[in-house]
Amino acid sequence: MKKQLKYTPALVFCIFIFIIPILYLSITDSDYSPLEKRKLSQFPEPTLKSVFNGKFGEDFETYLNDQMPLRTFFVGTNAYYDQLSGRNGMSGIYNGKDDYLLVTPVEDKSTFDNNIRFIGEFIDEIKKPVYVCIVPSAGCIYNDKLPLNHYNYNDEALINKVKDGFSEYDNCTFIDIMSDFKTLSGSEQLYYKTDHHWTSLGAFECYNILGNYMGFTPTKQDQFNIESYSGFYGTNYSKSALWFNRGETLEVWDNKKRADQPVSVVISDGGEVTATDSLFNRNNLDTEDQYTVFLDGNHAMVTINNENAETDRKLLLLRDSYSHCLAPFLVDNYSEIILVDVRYYLNPVSDIVTSQNIDDILLLYSIDSIVNSTDLAGIY
């Protein structure tokens, strides 16, 4: 029996050597990974140029990794091995307490300084009232949920650097939500556990803070119908590959008067224009990316008109995806809101300010975007 057992590792190795190639050839390639929420690489087309410059080899290796048989099992097993071996955060996600999956800290870099300069040039050029708000990371706000071993979050220092960078502009008001969010975090879930975004409640609390600075009266919480949808798994879940972590609830806050006072929503993207009368695309709740229920996800420009708003003022909202669930709150306070995502919008943003007679401008970005984005160079 002992003689037979000593050959077991060699037998397992041989099985993998012969079985895995057979599975590669027999299993149809997948286009998309639902758990990882991303497209998978397809077999690269070889050319003389790509073969000799090494590009084909690189693409073929990526293809083999993406199309590996039993990929989900192996990716998940590796993620849990990292946890057990003390390498929590290897995927850029900490497995924290109470099922929180938290993005690891961002680091100061040259792109951050450049982004402060680009935004400063925009503020100086347009001369309109500008409000700047940077959303701290969930790991900074919920530091009691972090694992025992983790890097320190320097969100506060980074946000203060942004604040100091814009202090010279008379038309700019910096809105710091850090202290309020830390206080509220003791009793409220401001961020998703499986996703990097804030929850609808978190967006609502920010909306209340914005009202104090921007001069509007926030709509009360009891004026919203709150719809709850279970089984939400966000991007942190997908990146971590910790498949045994539980899903959570996604909430849609819809103003009770919206049935009688609908709004107009026009989405412009790549020359295509789509019009609707709803701030929420509930069909997307049946897709892998449920967060796109808010304004249908990422688009170059979204224009929202509300003829029943409390004022006739117009707002330009320069933003990342955090504003998808924030804008439906601001609709009550502005007759028109134009949301622009400079990752996809290729024209000068300053032209919108002039042509659309914008009254207020809100720049709202997550700490990750303001530090790492390479697209803010086109903000003006």
Side-chain angles (χ1 to χ4, degrees), residues 137-295:
S137 62
C140 172
I141 299 300
Y142 287 98
N143 54 17
D144 60 320
K145 306 299 183 185
L146 290 167
L148 184 61
N149 295 318
H150 63 83
Y151 289 108
N152 292 325
Y153 287 78
N154 58 346
D155 294 35
E156 193 161 358
L158 294 172
I159 290 174
N160 284 334
K161 191 174 181 179
V162 176
K163 181 179 181 180
D164 293 341
F166 300 146
S167 60
E168 64 182 280
Y169 303 105
D170 294 334
N171 60 321
C172 180
T173 301
F174 187 84
I175 303 174
D176 192 346
I177 66 173
M178 176 77 77
S179 59
D180 289 303
F181 264 42
K182 283 190 174 181
T183 300
L184 292 166
S185 67
S187 58
E188 297 180 356
Q189 186 183 340
L190 303 174
Y191 295 81
Y192 290 108
K193 294 184 177 184
T194 66
D195 195 73
H196 63 287
H197 292 107
W198 52 20
T199 60
S200 293
L201 177 59
F204 176 74
E205 295 294 7
C206 179
Y207 165 67
N208 284 321
I209 299 169
L210 293 178
N212 294 331
Y213 289 87
M214 300 176 69
F216 61 76
T217 303
T219 304
K220 300 295 184 182
Q221 183 170 343
D222 60 9
Q223 295 302 304
F224 294 93
N225 285 319
I226 300 179
E227 307 166 17
S228 298
Y229 300 91
S230 60
F232 174 65
Y233 294 88
T235 54
N236 291 358
Y237 174 83
S238 302
K239 291 178 181 178
S240 71
L242 298 171
W243 308 138
F244 291 116
N245 276 48
R246 294 178 294 181
E248 55 187 322
T249 299
L250 178 147
E251 291 182 346
V252 172
W253 292 36
D254 200 357
N255 197 308
K256 294 177 181 178
K257 65 184 180 184
R258 201 66 66 215
D260 299 321
Q261 298 179 5
V263 298
S264 167
V265 180
V266 177
I267 298 173
S268 304
D269 210 353
E272 296 184 5
V273 178
T274 305
T276 179
D277 61 356
S278 177
L279 297 162
F280 310 104
N281 187 341
R282 290 176 175 81
N283 290 332
N284 289 352
L285 291 167
D286 296 324
T287 68
E288 300 297 339
D289 191 359
Q290 291 178 301
Y291 188 75
T292 58
V293 65
F294 304 107
L295 296 180

Side-chain angles (χ1 to χ4, degrees), residues 21 23-31 38-45 55-69 71:
L23 290 175
Y24 265 116
L25 295 173
S26 59
I27 296 176
T28 304
D29 289 347
S30 300
D31 295 323
R38 69 178 185 88
K39 292 183 178 180
L40 299 177
S41 299
Q42 303 300 299
F43 187 84
E45 182 178 350
K55 182 70 166 54
F56 174 77
E58 293 176 3
D59 292 344
F60 185 68
E61 183 178 355
T62 302
Y63 162 77
L64 290 178
N65 288 333
D66 277 7
Q67 301 297 338
M68 176 183 289
R71 173 182 170 78

Side-chain angles (χ1 to χ4, degrees), residues 359-372:
D359 296 293
D360 297 328
I361 300 166
L362 171 62
L363 288 93
L364 188 137
Y365 288 98
S366 65
I367 188 69
D368 179 73
S369 292
I370 198 71
V371 171
N372 293 315

Side-chain angles (χ1 to χ4, degrees), residues 262-269 272-280 294-307 313-319 323-324 327-328 330-331 334-341 345 352-353 355-358:
V263 298
S264 167
V265 180
V266 177
I267 298 173
S268 304
D269 210 353
E272 296 184 5
V273 178
T274 305
T276 179
D277 61 356
S278 177
L279 297 162
F280 310 104
F294 304 107
L295 296 180
D296 197 49
N298 295 321
H299 295 286
M301 177 187 286
V302 178
T303 303
I304 309 171
N305 285 282
N306 180 14
E307 61 183 22
R313 297 181 67 80
K314 295 183 178 181
L315 173 69
L316 173 62
L317 178 50
L318 300 175
R319 46 59 162 188
S323 289
H324 294 175
L330 291 165
V331 165
Y334 287 91
S335 62
E336 182 172 287
I337 301 176
I338 300 176
L339 296 92
V340 172
D341 191 330
Y345 188 80
I352 299 176
V353 178
S355 63
Q356 301 302 317
N357 297 315
I358 297 297

